[in-house]
Amino acid sequence: MGKVLTIHGGVPLKGKVTVRGAKNLVPKAMVAALLGDCPSVLRNVPEIKDVAVVTSLLKIHGVTVTKDEATGDLTMDPSGTKTATSNEIDTHAGDSRIPILFCGPLLHSLGEALIPNLGGCKIGDRPIDFHLDVLRHFGAEIDKAGPFGTTIRAPHGLTGAKISLPYPSVGATEQVLLTAVRAKGTTELENAAVEPEILDLISLLQKMGALITVGRDRVIRVTGVEKLKGYNHKALPDRNEAASWASAALVTKGDIFVEGAIQRNLTSFLHTYRQIGGEFEVTDDGIRFFHPGGELKPLILETDVHPGFMTDWQQPLVVALTQASGVSIIHETVYENRFGFTTALVEMGARVQLHSECLGAIPCRFGQRNFKHSAVITGPTPLTGADIDIPDLRGGFSHLIAALAAEGTSHVTGIELINRGYEKFMEKLTGLGARVEMNELASSL
Ligand code: EPZ
């Protein structure tokens, strides 16, 4: 039986939350432990669903994963790495996109990898063609015909290559890093992603003994080594969670100190936040976000790869723009279908129109192809409580903050999706003064 979250709106969120390791780094760091010849220790690990999924994926591949109950630190010992059965892997099909990143490490240690059908948020087609092309460049053979997913083999081992990505994909860059570090010879990757999570993964691999350097113009060079040791690493804090709570402070006219937020990983977000009328104060321990009073201002915004405005910040910020005085335009250039969550906002009273034109300057892969990837938001409009079913992780968080700002009561289902990327969000909400209750579905509606 599912759960339903009842939210009584109209309460400004005030207080402190702590963000821990990034959802978009921690699972990849766990996969990297497979590359070492001795145990690795990962610290600052959040209690989120994606960590649980990767923990069980590592265990079915013979890795011993131990959790320090006091700190949450994970020790991962790859000495028993083995092939997992298709049934075992199938149980994980549809859980997340991380299994694709097991390829490189498993090909190095076992010569074969079996990848289930992938899951992840429904915010676009999300193909894996870049990943498969990259693996072919290293000499892997791809067999998609299997009933349980894709089988990849490297009968002659893996050899470094010169690779240029069609788009600076985070996942495909991680695929190259996790494969090239133990491949024969040198790999040069052009048009690479350089998100802070990528640079943190590179730091971790360097700790293991890898030879990696990041050049100018998105070029990463790796010289493969035969052996890597284990790492001891503290994961960088989750900048996407920090940006989400910042938007929550603005939308609810509140004041939230986000412990662990790091300014240099949020530069373009902070710039935009101040442009629309939000205020922030940076300290060594975190960042205070608050609504300084007065009207919020509209703006024209385009999402982009780092160091541009990140696509995962777009959805919570859209809720703030429904309260700005005037017309805002958002051009989503990273995913072709990331405005589905606005349907519920419109039902709550927001004015949002979607367009398939590229309403912005950044060249985009989705123009003139019937993808509603630009939004025109006219504000301010009062929001009223509604029954909402959460579509995806960031869309879901935006629905929570809309309901918290709205007049009246909302009933939110599909709430388990939030656990995928927001640690202890219920505790954090109540700690910030939100009036919320979680109930079993049948009884409350
Ligand atoms: C990572 O996804 C993040 N997820 C996403 O965060 C984030 O939005 C994204 O990077 C961009 O920053 C994790 O790290 C787990 P991509 P990823 O490969 O690696 C296309 C969140 O809410 N593409 O950079 O899957 C793809 O369709 C999530 O926390 C191909 O066409 O993203 C998209 O349009 C959502 N073929 C674009 O590239 C490929 O083989 C960017 O995708 C791979 C990607």
Side-chain angles (χ1 to χ4, degrees), residues 21-86:
K23 172 192 92 64
N24 292 349
L25 178 266
V26 167
K28 293 91 182 265
M30 294 171 69
V31 174
L34 279 163
L35 290 162
D37 62 2
C38 58
S40 289
V41 177
L42 186 59
R43 294 174 283 121
N44 203 22
V45 178
E47 281 172 38
I48 55 172
K49 187 156 175 258
D50 279 15
V51 169
V53 167
V54 180
T55 299
S56 49
L57 276 167
L58 286 172
K59 286 183 175 170
I60 61 168
H61 284 95
V63 178
T64 310
V65 182
T66 349
K67 180 180 174 184
D68 177 320
E69 291 311 330
T71 61
D73 297 354
L74 295 179
T75 301
M76 293 155 285
D77 180 355
S79 54
T81 300
K82 65 173 181 62
T83 307
T85 67
S86 49

Short mmCIF file of all heavy atoms in Angstrom, two decimals, residues 21-86:
data_model
loop_
_atom_site.label_atom_id
_atom_site.label_comp_id
_atom_site.label_asym_id
_atom_site.label_seq_id
_atom_site.Cartn_x
_atom_site.Cartn_y
_atom_site.Cartn_z
N GLY A 21 26.71 13.76 1.03
CA GLY A 21 27.31 13.41 -0.26
C GLY A 21 26.34 13.47 -1.43
O GLY A 21 25.16 13.16 -1.30
N ALA A 22 26.85 13.87 -2.60
CA ALA A 22 26.01 14.12 -3.77
C ALA A 22 25.44 12.82 -4.36
O ALA A 22 26.20 11.89 -4.64
CB ALA A 22 26.82 14.86 -4.83
N LYS A 23 24.12 12.83 -4.62
CA LYS A 23 23.48 11.67 -5.28
C LYS A 23 24.13 11.40 -6.63
O LYS A 23 24.22 10.27 -7.07
CB LYS A 23 22.00 11.96 -5.51
CG LYS A 23 21.31 10.89 -6.36
CD LYS A 23 19.95 11.30 -6.82
CE LYS A 23 19.89 11.98 -8.14
NZ LYS A 23 20.29 11.23 -9.33
N ASN A 24 24.64 12.42 -7.28
CA ASN A 24 25.23 12.23 -8.62
C ASN A 24 26.72 11.95 -8.59
O ASN A 24 27.36 11.92 -9.63
CB ASN A 24 24.89 13.43 -9.51
CG ASN A 24 23.40 13.47 -9.81
OD1 ASN A 24 22.68 12.51 -9.53
ND2 ASN A 24 22.93 14.57 -10.36
N LEU A 25 27.26 11.71 -7.42
CA LEU A 25 28.67 11.28 -7.30
C LEU A 25 28.76 9.95 -6.53
O LEU A 25 29.41 9.01 -6.99
CB LEU A 25 29.49 12.33 -6.55
CG LEU A 25 30.97 12.06 -6.27
CD1 LEU A 25 31.30 11.45 -4.94
CD2 LEU A 25 31.73 11.43 -7.42
N VAL A 26 28.08 9.85 -5.38
CA VAL A 26 28.26 8.71 -4.48
C VAL A 26 28.09 7.35 -5.18
O VAL A 26 28.97 6.49 -5.08
CB VAL A 26 27.36 8.84 -3.23
CG1 VAL A 26 27.29 7.55 -2.45
CG2 VAL A 26 27.87 9.98 -2.35
N PRO A 27 27.03 7.11 -5.94
CA PRO A 27 26.91 5.78 -6.59
C PRO A 27 28.07 5.48 -7.54
O PRO A 27 28.55 4.36 -7.61
CB PRO A 27 25.59 5.89 -7.34
CG PRO A 27 24.82 6.94 -6.60
CD PRO A 27 25.85 7.94 -6.15
N LYS A 28 28.58 6.53 -8.22
CA LYS A 28 29.69 6.30 -9.15
C LYS A 28 30.97 5.99 -8.37
O LYS A 28 31.81 5.19 -8.80
CB LYS A 28 29.90 7.55 -10.03
CG LYS A 28 28.75 7.83 -11.02
CD LYS A 28 27.72 8.71 -10.43
CE LYS A 28 26.56 8.97 -11.34
NZ LYS A 28 26.66 10.18 -12.11
N ALA A 29 31.15 6.66 -7.22
CA ALA A 29 32.32 6.40 -6.37
C ALA A 29 32.28 4.95 -5.88
O ALA A 29 33.30 4.27 -5.81
CB ALA A 29 32.32 7.36 -5.19
N MET A 30 31.05 4.48 -5.59
CA MET A 30 30.92 3.09 -5.13
C MET A 30 31.33 2.12 -6.25
O MET A 30 32.03 1.14 -6.00
CB MET A 30 29.49 2.82 -4.66
CG MET A 30 29.07 3.62 -3.43
SD MET A 30 27.31 3.49 -3.07
CE MET A 30 27.17 1.77 -2.55
N VAL A 31 30.92 2.43 -7.47
CA VAL A 31 31.30 1.57 -8.61
C VAL A 31 32.82 1.57 -8.80
O VAL A 31 33.43 0.53 -9.06
CB VAL A 31 30.61 2.05 -9.90
CG1 VAL A 31 31.09 1.27 -11.11
CG2 VAL A 31 29.09 1.95 -9.78
N ALA A 32 33.45 2.72 -8.58
CA ALA A 32 34.90 2.83 -8.78
C ALA A 32 35.67 1.90 -7.84
O ALA A 32 36.78 1.46 -8.15
CB ALA A 32 35.34 4.27 -8.55
N ALA A 33 35.06 1.54 -6.70
CA ALA A 33 35.73 0.63 -5.75
C ALA A 33 36.05 -0.71 -6.41
O ALA A 33 37.01 -1.39 -6.02
CB ALA A 33 34.84 0.42 -4.53
N LEU A 34 35.29 -1.07 -7.45
CA LEU A 34 35.53 -2.33 -8.17
C LEU A 34 36.90 -2.34 -8.85
O LEU A 34 37.44 -3.39 -9.15
CB LEU A 34 34.45 -2.52 -9.25
CG LEU A 34 33.10 -3.07 -8.84
CD1 LEU A 34 32.06 -2.80 -9.94
CD2 LEU A 34 33.17 -4.57 -8.58
N LEU A 35 37.45 -1.14 -9.11
CA LEU A 35 38.72 -1.03 -9.86
C LEU A 35 39.94 -1.27 -8.97
O LEU A 35 41.04 -1.49 -9.47
CB LEU A 35 38.82 0.37 -10.48
CG LEU A 35 37.87 0.69 -11.63
CD1 LEU A 35 37.76 2.19 -11.84
CD2 LEU A 35 38.32 0.00 -12.91
N GLY A 36 39.76 -1.22 -7.65
CA GLY A 36 40.89 -1.32 -6.73
C GLY A 36 41.26 -2.77 -6.43
O GLY A 36 40.45 -3.69 -6.60
N ASP A 37 42.53 -2.98 -5.97
CA ASP A 37 42.94 -4.35 -5.60
C ASP A 37 42.88 -4.53 -4.08
O ASP A 37 43.35 -5.52 -3.54
CB ASP A 37 44.35 -4.64 -6.12
CG ASP A 37 45.38 -3.70 -5.49
OD1 ASP A 37 44.99 -2.87 -4.64
OD2 ASP A 37 46.56 -3.77 -5.87
N CYS A 38 42.31 -3.53 -3.39
CA CYS A 38 42.07 -3.68 -1.94
C CYS A 38 40.87 -2.80 -1.58
O CYS A 38 40.40 -2.02 -2.43
CB CYS A 38 43.32 -3.27 -1.17
SG CYS A 38 43.86 -1.60 -1.51
N PRO A 39 40.36 -2.90 -0.35
CA PRO A 39 39.12 -2.19 0.02
C PRO A 39 39.22 -0.68 -0.12
O PRO A 39 40.28 -0.09 0.03
CB PRO A 39 38.90 -2.61 1.48
CG PRO A 39 39.59 -3.92 1.61
CD PRO A 39 40.80 -3.81 0.73
N SER A 40 38.06 -0.05 -0.41
CA SER A 40 37.94 1.41 -0.46
C SER A 40 36.96 1.85 0.62
O SER A 40 36.05 1.11 0.96
CB SER A 40 37.39 1.84 -1.83
OG SER A 40 38.36 1.65 -2.84
N VAL A 41 37.17 3.09 1.11
CA VAL A 41 36.28 3.65 2.14
C VAL A 41 35.68 4.94 1.61
O VAL A 41 36.42 5.84 1.19
CB VAL A 41 37.05 3.92 3.45
CG1 VAL A 41 36.12 4.57 4.48
CG2 VAL A 41 37.64 2.63 4.00
N LEU A 42 34.35 5.00 1.59
CA LEU A 42 33.67 6.22 1.13
C LEU A 42 32.97 6.86 2.32
O LEU A 42 32.24 6.18 3.06
CB LEU A 42 32.65 5.88 0.04
CG LEU A 42 31.96 7.05 -0.63
CD1 LEU A 42 32.95 8.00 -1.30
CD2 LEU A 42 30.94 6.56 -1.65
N ARG A 43 33.22 8.15 2.53
CA ARG A 43 32.63 8.87 3.67
C ARG A 43 31.63 9.91 3.19
O ARG A 43 31.59 10.23 1.99
CB ARG A 43 33.76 9.55 4.46
CG ARG A 43 34.69 8.53 5.12
CD ARG A 43 35.91 9.16 5.79
NE ARG A 43 36.92 9.54 4.83
CZ ARG A 43 37.38 10.78 4.66
NH1 ARG A 43 36.91 11.75 5.40
NH2 ARG A 43 38.32 11.05 3.75
N ASN A 44 30.80 10.43 4.09
CA ASN A 44 29.77 11.42 3.75
C ASN A 44 28.74 10.82 2.79
O ASN A 44 28.33 11.43 1.82
CB ASN A 44 30.43 12.66 3.12
CG ASN A 44 29.56 13.89 3.26
OD1 ASN A 44 28.69 13.96 4.13
ND2 ASN A 44 29.72 14.84 2.35
N VAL A 45 28.34 9.57 3.11
CA VAL A 45 27.39 8.83 2.25
C VAL A 45 25.96 9.09 2.73
O VAL A 45 25.63 8.79 3.87
CB VAL A 45 27.70 7.32 2.29
CG1 VAL A 45 26.68 6.54 1.45
CG2 VAL A 45 29.12 7.04 1.84
N PRO A 46 25.09 9.64 1.87
CA PRO A 46 23.71 9.92 2.30
C PRO A 46 22.86 8.65 2.32
O PRO A 46 23.13 7.71 1.58
CB PRO A 46 23.20 10.88 1.23
CG PRO A 46 23.92 10.47 0.00
CD PRO A 46 25.30 10.01 0.47
N GLU A 47 21.82 8.65 3.14
CA GLU A 47 20.88 7.50 3.18
C GLU A 47 19.82 7.75 2.12
O GLU A 47 18.76 8.30 2.42
CB GLU A 47 20.25 7.39 4.55
CG GLU A 47 21.15 6.73 5.59
CD GLU A 47 20.54 6.82 6.99
OE1 GLU A 47 19.30 6.68 7.08
OE2 GLU A 47 21.29 7.11 7.93
N ILE A 48 20.12 7.40 0.88
CA ILE A 48 19.16 7.57 -0.21
C ILE A 48 19.02 6.25 -0.96
O ILE A 48 19.90 5.39 -0.90
CB ILE A 48 19.57 8.69 -1.19
CG1 ILE A 48 20.99 8.44 -1.73
CG2 ILE A 48 19.44 10.06 -0.56
CD1 ILE A 48 21.40 9.39 -2.84
N LYS A 49 17.92 6.14 -1.73
CA LYS A 49 17.62 4.85 -2.39
C LYS A 49 18.70 4.45 -3.39
O LYS A 49 19.07 3.27 -3.50
CB LYS A 49 16.27 4.95 -3.09
CG LYS A 49 15.80 3.62 -3.67
CD LYS A 49 14.30 3.54 -3.83
CE LYS A 49 13.92 2.24 -4.53
NZ LYS A 49 13.58 2.46 -5.97
N ASP A 50 19.25 5.41 -4.11
CA ASP A 50 20.28 5.06 -5.10
C ASP A 50 21.47 4.36 -4.47
O ASP A 50 22.10 3.49 -5.09
CB ASP A 50 20.73 6.31 -5.87
CG ASP A 50 19.74 6.66 -6.99
OD1 ASP A 50 18.61 6.11 -6.96
OD2 ASP A 50 20.08 7.46 -7.86
N VAL A 51 21.81 4.72 -3.21
CA VAL A 51 22.94 4.07 -2.52
C VAL A 51 22.57 2.62 -2.21
O VAL A 51 23.37 1.71 -2.40
CB VAL A 51 23.32 4.84 -1.24
CG1 VAL A 51 24.30 4.03 -0.39
CG2 VAL A 51 23.92 6.20 -1.59
N ALA A 52 21.35 2.41 -1.80
CA ALA A 52 20.89 1.04 -1.50
C ALA A 52 20.90 0.18 -2.76
O ALA A 52 21.34 -0.98 -2.73
CB ALA A 52 19.48 1.09 -0.90
N VAL A 53 20.49 0.76 -3.89
CA VAL A 53 20.47 0.01 -5.17
C VAL A 53 21.89 -0.41 -5.54
O VAL A 53 22.15 -1.58 -5.85
CB VAL A 53 19.86 0.88 -6.29
CG1 VAL A 53 20.12 0.26 -7.65
CG2 VAL A 53 18.38 1.09 -6.06
N VAL A 54 22.85 0.52 -5.46
CA VAL A 54 24.22 0.18 -5.87
C VAL A 54 24.87 -0.77 -4.86
O VAL A 54 25.63 -1.67 -5.24
CB VAL A 54 25.07 1.46 -6.06
CG1 VAL A 54 26.49 1.11 -6.47
CG2 VAL A 54 24.44 2.36 -7.11
N THR A 55 24.53 -0.63 -3.59
CA THR A 55 25.04 -1.58 -2.58
C THR A 55 24.64 -3.00 -2.96
O THR A 55 25.48 -3.90 -3.00
CB THR A 55 24.49 -1.22 -1.18
OG1 THR A 55 24.95 0.10 -0.85
CG2 THR A 55 24.96 -2.21 -0.13
N SER A 56 23.37 -3.20 -3.34
CA SER A 56 22.97 -4.57 -3.66
C SER A 56 23.54 -5.01 -5.01
O SER A 56 23.88 -6.18 -5.18
CB SER A 56 21.45 -4.73 -3.62
OG SER A 56 20.84 -3.72 -4.33
N LEU A 57 23.73 -4.06 -5.94
CA LEU A 57 24.38 -4.44 -7.21
C LEU A 57 25.82 -4.88 -6.97
O LEU A 57 26.29 -5.87 -7.54
CB LEU A 57 24.36 -3.25 -8.18
CG LEU A 57 23.11 -3.03 -8.99
CD1 LEU A 57 23.11 -1.67 -9.66
CD2 LEU A 57 22.93 -4.12 -10.05
N LEU A 58 26.53 -4.18 -6.07
CA LEU A 58 27.92 -4.58 -5.76
C LEU A 58 27.93 -5.95 -5.09
O LEU A 58 28.73 -6.82 -5.43
CB LEU A 58 28.57 -3.54 -4.84
CG LEU A 58 28.96 -2.21 -5.47
CD1 LEU A 58 29.40 -1.20 -4.41
CD2 LEU A 58 30.09 -2.41 -6.49
N LYS A 59 26.97 -6.18 -4.19
CA LYS A 59 26.95 -7.46 -3.45
C LYS A 59 26.68 -8.63 -4.40
O LYS A 59 27.33 -9.67 -4.30
CB LYS A 59 25.89 -7.40 -2.34
CG LYS A 59 26.33 -6.54 -1.15
CD LYS A 59 25.32 -6.54 -0.02
CE LYS A 59 25.84 -5.78 1.19
NZ LYS A 59 24.80 -5.56 2.22
N ILE A 60 25.79 -8.45 -5.39
CA ILE A 60 25.53 -9.59 -6.28
C ILE A 60 26.73 -9.84 -7.19
O ILE A 60 26.86 -10.91 -7.78
CB ILE A 60 24.25 -9.42 -7.12
CG1 ILE A 60 24.32 -8.21 -8.03
CG2 ILE A 60 23.00 -9.42 -6.26
CD1 ILE A 60 23.21 -8.17 -9.07
N HIS A 61 27.64 -8.85 -7.25
CA HIS A 61 28.89 -9.06 -8.01
C HIS A 61 30.04 -9.47 -7.10
O HIS A 61 31.21 -9.32 -7.45
CB HIS A 61 29.25 -7.81 -8.81
CG HIS A 61 28.42 -7.60 -10.04
ND1 HIS A 61 27.31 -6.80 -10.05
CD2 HIS A 61 28.50 -8.14 -11.28
CE1 HIS A 61 26.76 -6.82 -11.25
NE2 HIS A 61 27.46 -7.62 -12.02
N GLY A 62 29.70 -9.91 -5.88
CA GLY A 62 30.72 -10.49 -4.99
C GLY A 62 31.50 -9.49 -4.16
O GLY A 62 32.46 -9.86 -3.47
N VAL A 63 31.13 -8.21 -4.20
CA VAL A 63 31.85 -7.20 -3.41
C VAL A 63 31.28 -7.20 -1.99
O VAL A 63 30.07 -7.22 -1.80
CB VAL A 63 31.69 -5.81 -4.04
CG1 VAL A 63 32.39 -4.74 -3.19
CG2 VAL A 63 32.23 -5.80 -5.47
N THR A 64 32.17 -7.19 -0.99
CA THR A 64 31.71 -7.10 0.40
C THR A 64 31.53 -5.63 0.75
O THR A 64 32.47 -4.85 0.62
CB THR A 64 32.76 -7.72 1.34
OG1 THR A 64 33.11 -8.99 0.82
CG2 THR A 64 32.25 -7.82 2.75
N VAL A 65 30.31 -5.26 1.12
CA VAL A 65 30.03 -3.86 1.45
C VAL A 65 29.64 -3.79 2.93
O VAL A 65 28.69 -4.43 3.34
CB VAL A 65 28.87 -3.29 0.60
CG1 VAL A 65 28.64 -1.82 0.92
CG2 VAL A 65 29.14 -3.49 -0.89
N THR A 66 30.44 -3.04 3.70
CA THR A 66 30.14 -2.91 5.13
C THR A 66 29.84 -1.45 5.45
O THR A 66 30.54 -0.57 4.95
CB THR A 66 31.36 -3.32 5.99
OG1 THR A 66 32.31 -3.94 5.14
CG2 THR A 66 30.97 -4.32 7.05
N LYS A 67 28.79 -1.23 6.26
CA LYS A 67 28.40 0.13 6.59
C LYS A 67 28.67 0.39 8.07
O LYS A 67 28.27 -0.41 8.92
CB LYS A 67 26.91 0.34 6.29
CG LYS A 67 26.39 1.72 6.61
CD LYS A 67 24.92 1.85 6.28
CE LYS A 67 24.37 3.19 6.75
NZ LYS A 67 22.93 3.28 6.52
N ASP A 68 29.36 1.48 8.36
CA ASP A 68 29.60 1.88 9.75
C ASP A 68 28.31 2.54 10.23
O ASP A 68 27.95 3.63 9.76
CB ASP A 68 30.77 2.86 9.81
CG ASP A 68 31.02 3.38 11.22
OD1 ASP A 68 30.03 3.65 11.94
OD2 ASP A 68 32.20 3.53 11.59
N GLU A 69 27.59 1.89 11.11
CA GLU A 69 26.26 2.39 11.52
C GLU A 69 26.34 3.78 12.15
O GLU A 69 25.44 4.59 12.02
CB GLU A 69 25.59 1.40 12.48
CG GLU A 69 25.17 0.08 11.79
CD GLU A 69 24.38 0.29 10.48
OE1 GLU A 69 23.67 1.33 10.37
OE2 GLU A 69 24.53 -0.52 9.54
N ALA A 70 27.45 4.09 12.77
CA ALA A 70 27.56 5.39 13.45
C ALA A 70 27.73 6.52 12.43
O ALA A 70 27.05 7.54 12.49
CB ALA A 70 28.75 5.37 14.40
N THR A 71 28.60 6.30 11.44
CA THR A 71 28.93 7.40 10.52
C THR A 71 28.24 7.26 9.16
O THR A 71 28.15 8.23 8.41
CB THR A 71 30.45 7.39 10.25
OG1 THR A 71 30.75 6.11 9.64
CG2 THR A 71 31.25 7.56 11.52
N GLY A 72 27.83 6.02 8.84
CA GLY A 72 27.27 5.78 7.50
C GLY A 72 28.35 5.52 6.47
O GLY A 72 28.07 5.27 5.30
N ASP A 73 29.65 5.58 6.91
CA ASP A 73 30.74 5.32 5.96
C ASP A 73 30.63 3.90 5.42
O ASP A 73 30.25 2.99 6.14
CB ASP A 73 32.11 5.50 6.65
CG ASP A 73 32.32 6.93 7.12
OD1 ASP A 73 31.46 7.79 6.80
OD2 ASP A 73 33.31 7.19 7.83
N LEU A 74 31.02 3.75 4.14
CA LEU A 74 30.96 2.43 3.49
C LEU A 74 32.37 1.92 3.22
O LEU A 74 33.22 2.67 2.73
CB LEU A 74 30.22 2.52 2.16
CG LEU A 74 28.74 2.88 2.18
CD1 LEU A 74 28.20 2.95 0.75
CD2 LEU A 74 27.93 1.88 3.01
N THR A 75 32.63 0.65 3.56
CA THR A 75 33.88 -0.01 3.17
C THR A 75 33.52 -1.07 2.13
O THR A 75 32.62 -1.89 2.37
CB THR A 75 34.57 -0.65 4.39
OG1 THR A 75 34.83 0.39 5.34
CG2 THR A 75 35.87 -1.32 3.99
N MET A 76 34.18 -0.98 0.96
CA MET A 76 33.83 -1.89 -0.14
C MET A 76 35.06 -2.70 -0.53
O MET A 76 36.07 -2.13 -0.95
CB MET A 76 33.32 -1.07 -1.33
CG MET A 76 32.00 -0.39 -1.04
SD MET A 76 31.72 1.08 -2.04
CE MET A 76 32.81 2.25 -1.25
N ASP A 77 34.99 -4.03 -0.35
CA ASP A 77 36.13 -4.92 -0.65
C ASP A 77 35.86 -5.70 -1.93
O ASP A 77 35.00 -6.59 -1.95
CB ASP A 77 36.36 -5.88 0.53
CG ASP A 77 37.52 -6.82 0.25
OD1 ASP A 77 38.07 -6.77 -0.87
OD2 ASP A 77 37.85 -7.63 1.15
N PRO A 78 36.57 -5.40 -3.02
CA PRO A 78 36.28 -6.03 -4.33
C PRO A 78 37.01 -7.36 -4.54
O PRO A 78 36.91 -7.93 -5.63
CB PRO A 78 36.80 -4.97 -5.31
CG PRO A 78 37.96 -4.36 -4.60
CD PRO A 78 37.67 -4.41 -3.12
N SER A 79 37.72 -7.86 -3.51
CA SER A 79 38.58 -9.04 -3.75
C SER A 79 37.77 -10.25 -4.22
O SER A 79 38.29 -11.12 -4.89
CB SER A 79 39.36 -9.38 -2.48
OG SER A 79 38.45 -9.53 -1.40
N GLY A 80 36.45 -10.27 -3.91
CA GLY A 80 35.65 -11.45 -4.32
C GLY A 80 34.80 -11.19 -5.55
O GLY A 80 33.79 -11.87 -5.78
N THR A 81 35.18 -10.20 -6.37
CA THR A 81 34.33 -9.84 -7.53
C THR A 81 34.07 -11.04 -8.42
O THR A 81 34.98 -11.79 -8.75
CB THR A 81 34.99 -8.71 -8.35
OG1 THR A 81 35.15 -7.58 -7.49
CG2 THR A 81 34.12 -8.32 -9.54
N LYS A 82 32.78 -11.22 -8.79
CA LYS A 82 32.39 -12.36 -9.63
C LYS A 82 31.28 -11.93 -10.57
O LYS A 82 30.67 -10.89 -10.38
CB LYS A 82 31.90 -13.51 -8.74
CG LYS A 82 30.62 -13.17 -7.97
CD LYS A 82 30.05 -14.37 -7.23
CE LYS A 82 28.77 -14.02 -6.48
NZ LYS A 82 27.64 -13.59 -7.36
N THR A 83 31.01 -12.77 -11.57
CA THR A 83 29.91 -12.49 -12.49
C THR A 83 28.59 -12.68 -11.76
O THR A 83 28.46 -13.62 -10.96
CB THR A 83 29.97 -13.47 -13.69
OG1 THR A 83 31.30 -13.40 -14.22
CG2 THR A 83 28.98 -13.11 -14.76
N ALA A 84 27.62 -11.84 -11.99
CA ALA A 84 26.29 -12.01 -11.39
C ALA A 84 25.40 -12.73 -12.38
O ALA A 84 25.60 -12.62 -13.59
CB ALA A 84 25.70 -10.66 -11.05
N THR A 85 24.43 -13.49 -11.88
CA THR A 85 23.53 -14.19 -12.79
C THR A 85 22.53 -13.21 -13.38
O THR A 85 22.25 -12.17 -12.77
CB THR A 85 22.72 -15.27 -12.04
OG1 THR A 85 21.84 -14.58 -11.13
CG2 THR A 85 23.63 -16.21 -11.25
N SER A 86 21.96 -13.56 -14.53
CA SER A 86 21.01 -12.64 -15.17
C SER A 86 19.78 -12.45 -14.28
O SER A 86 19.24 -11.35 -14.19
CB SER A 86 20.60 -13.19 -16.53
OG SER A 86 20.25 -14.54 -16.37
#
